[in-house]
């Protein structure tokens, strides 16, 4: 089917996140925003909806969402925030919570997060704490949010001491991932999300990674490979979240590439200099190279991962980050502040090869620092 062809009748792919009485569906497909009203009315028949979105998403897509809610007879209000990571703050949280209370939201109503990861994390947190919790619908509009942050119930804000350090687990009632809405994403933002798609293949689905190596151009171009990639990634996340909702075990696997990545984000000021997904891309290659250095996995897999992420257009080496970087000791300082530290021991997601990630506790910090020194010298 060509990209421009109407697929309004197409049935979306449904993935269930199994969490007992709190289980919910992720719907993936094109034109999902058009059917949002119908899907919400079916699941939350009497809820009013408080849409939380940002100025950019509102300008491009709010009319479509509102028409869908109106068509289903759903009452709604809207709260529009400033785009960008700076909105994940106590000040923005206070504004959103205040606006929700002013709209007289009730517990059986729903917050609908309509945007990328910033909107999802902020609106999800507000939904989790206002009136001690309302319903939540995630309608992610970036690839990264569709395959990662909108699924699994992690919500939160940043503080000057670090990213995502304040928040709650608050599962949504429904996730609506519209593969078509990604047509309007700038390539750099799309690619940043792609790093998280590839992650699911690298963690425990080597067949999916091989499929991506062959089909990534079609995933970027659109239908139907993009929908398949989002669905496979969401299924991977749903399985892990169902196994380990609170990150006591397997969920930590989703942090592949993130410990190195978060340190690189921290030293580049969480800015456009290095997007989260770009940091994850470099961090993932570092995790494979570090695993090779420790004798855990082969060099061939590390080079295959680097070749694929590089081909897609993602940075894969620390040396590709523009501007000066601090030394290995400073990177270690940020690694030690990461949430993946328990009782002072470093926890890394390492690998025995593509599709064989595992949680390594007690990773010696001097080995990590020596490895980073080598990488910085390249
Ligand atoms: N983004 C990692 C997680 O949801 O656990």
């Amino acid at each position: 089917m060509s990209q421009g062809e109407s697929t309004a009748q197409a049935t979306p792919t449904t993935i269930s996140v199994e969490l007992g009485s709190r289980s919910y569906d992720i719907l993936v497909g094109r034109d999902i925003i058009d059917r949002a009203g119908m899907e919400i009315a079916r699941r939350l028949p009497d809820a009013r909806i408080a849409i939380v979105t940002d100025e950019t998403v509102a300008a491009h897509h709010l009319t479509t969402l509102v028409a869908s809610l109106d068509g289903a007879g759903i009452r709604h209000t809207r709260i529009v925030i400033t785009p960008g990571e700076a909105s994940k703050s106590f000040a923005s949280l206070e504004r959103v919570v205040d606006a929700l209370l002013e709209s007289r939201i009730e517990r059986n109503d729903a917050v609908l997060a309509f945007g990328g990861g910033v909107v999802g994390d902020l609106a999800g947190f507000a939904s989790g704490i206002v009136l001690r919790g309302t319903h939540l619908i995630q309608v992610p509009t970036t690839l990264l949010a569709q395959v990662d942050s909108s699924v699994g119930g992690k919500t939160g804000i940043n503080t000057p001491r670090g990213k995502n350090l304040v928040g709650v687990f608050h599962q949504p009632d429904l996730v609506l991932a519209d593969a078509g809405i990604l047509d309007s994403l700038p390539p750099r933002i799309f690619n940043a999300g792609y790093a998280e798609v590839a992650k699911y293949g690298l963690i425990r689905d080597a067949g999916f990674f091989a499929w991506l190596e062959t089909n990534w151009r079609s995933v970027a171009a659109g239908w139907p490979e993009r929908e398949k990639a989002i669905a496979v990634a969401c299924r991977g996340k749903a399985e892990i979240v169902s196994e380990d909702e609170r990150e006591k075990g397997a969920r930590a696997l989703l942090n592949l590439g993130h410990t190195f990545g978060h340190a690189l984000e921290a030293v580049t000021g969480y800015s456009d200099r290095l997007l989260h997904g770009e940091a994850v891309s470099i961090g993932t290659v570092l995790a494979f190279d570090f695993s090779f250095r420790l004798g855990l996995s082969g060099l061939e897999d590390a080079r295959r991962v680097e070749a694929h992420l590089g081909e897609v257009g993602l940075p894969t080496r620390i040396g590709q980050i523009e501007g000066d970087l601090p030394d290995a000791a400073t990177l270690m300082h940020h690694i030690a502040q990461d949430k993946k530290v328990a009782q002072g021991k470093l926890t890394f997601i390492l690998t025995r090869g593509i599709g064989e990630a595992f949680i390594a506790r007690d990773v010696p910090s001097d080995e990590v620092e020596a490895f980073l020194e080598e990488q910085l010298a390249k």
Side-chain angles (χ1 to χ4, degrees), residues 162-355:
K163 269 185 87 164
N164 298 327
L165 292 182
V166 178
V168 292
F169 282 97
H170 182 55
Q171 297 292 345
D173 297 81
L174 176 65
V175 180
L176 299 173
D178 191 317
I181 210 169
L182 305 183
D183 288 341
S184 58
L185 276 191
R188 189 176 172 206
I189 308 288
F190 185 90
N191 287 348
Y194 186 91
E196 299 278 7
V197 175
K199 179 180 83 176
Y200 294 98
L202 297 174
I203 290 174
R204 55 182 181 191
D205 190 348
F208 180 49
F209 186 75
W211 181 85
L212 287 172
E213 287 179 306
T214 307
N215 292 286
W216 68 270
R217 283 188 183 79
S218 309
V219 172
W223 180 264
E225 285 82 0
R226 187 190 295 161
E227 179 179 334
K228 173 176 167 166
I230 295 168
V232 172
C234 285
R235 199 168 289 121
K237 178 136 191 189
E239 279 171 15
I240 287 178
V241 169
S242 302
E243 256 174 65
D244 175 28
E245 183 185 5
R246 296 284 172 132
E247 203 170 309
K248 304 277 185 236
R251 187 163 180 168
L253 292 169
L254 297 172
N255 295 324
L256 176 65
H258 284 59
T259 303
F260 287 124
H262 280 163
L264 294 171
E265 278 185 280
V267 299
T268 50
Y270 302 105
S271 66
D272 276 359
R273 201 172 143 202
L274 188 68
L275 303 177
H276 173 71
E278 294 170 338
V280 168
S281 174
I282 297 172
T284 301
V285 175
L286 288 173
F288 271 80
D289 276 332
F290 188 49
S291 299
F292 167 67
R293 192 180 197 275
L294 296 176
L296 296 165
S297 66
L299 189 57
E300 196 184 310
D301 278 356
R303 296 293 66 84
R304 211 176 127 194
V305 174
E306 181 176 10
H308 179 55
L309 296 176
E311 181 178 36
V312 167
L314 281 159
T316 55
R317 291 269 149 208
I318 293 180
Q320 288 171 270
I321 302 170
E322 290 199 4
D324 292 336
L325 286 174
D327 58 12
T330 309
L331 285 171
M332 286 307 294
H333 168 77
H334 288 286
I335 284 173
Q337 285 199 323
D338 203 81
K339 289 192 293 306
K340 290 138 209 110
V341 176
Q343 275 112 46
K345 306 266 172 57
L346 295 182
T347 296
F348 271 83
I349 309 309
L350 298 178
T351 179
R352 297 191 178 87
I354 290 169

Side-chain angles (χ1 to χ4, degrees), residues 72-86:
I74 296 173
R75 288 171 297 154
H76 51 85
T77 54
R78 70 184 70 170
I79 300 162
V80 181
I81 64 162
T82 308
E85 193 72 24

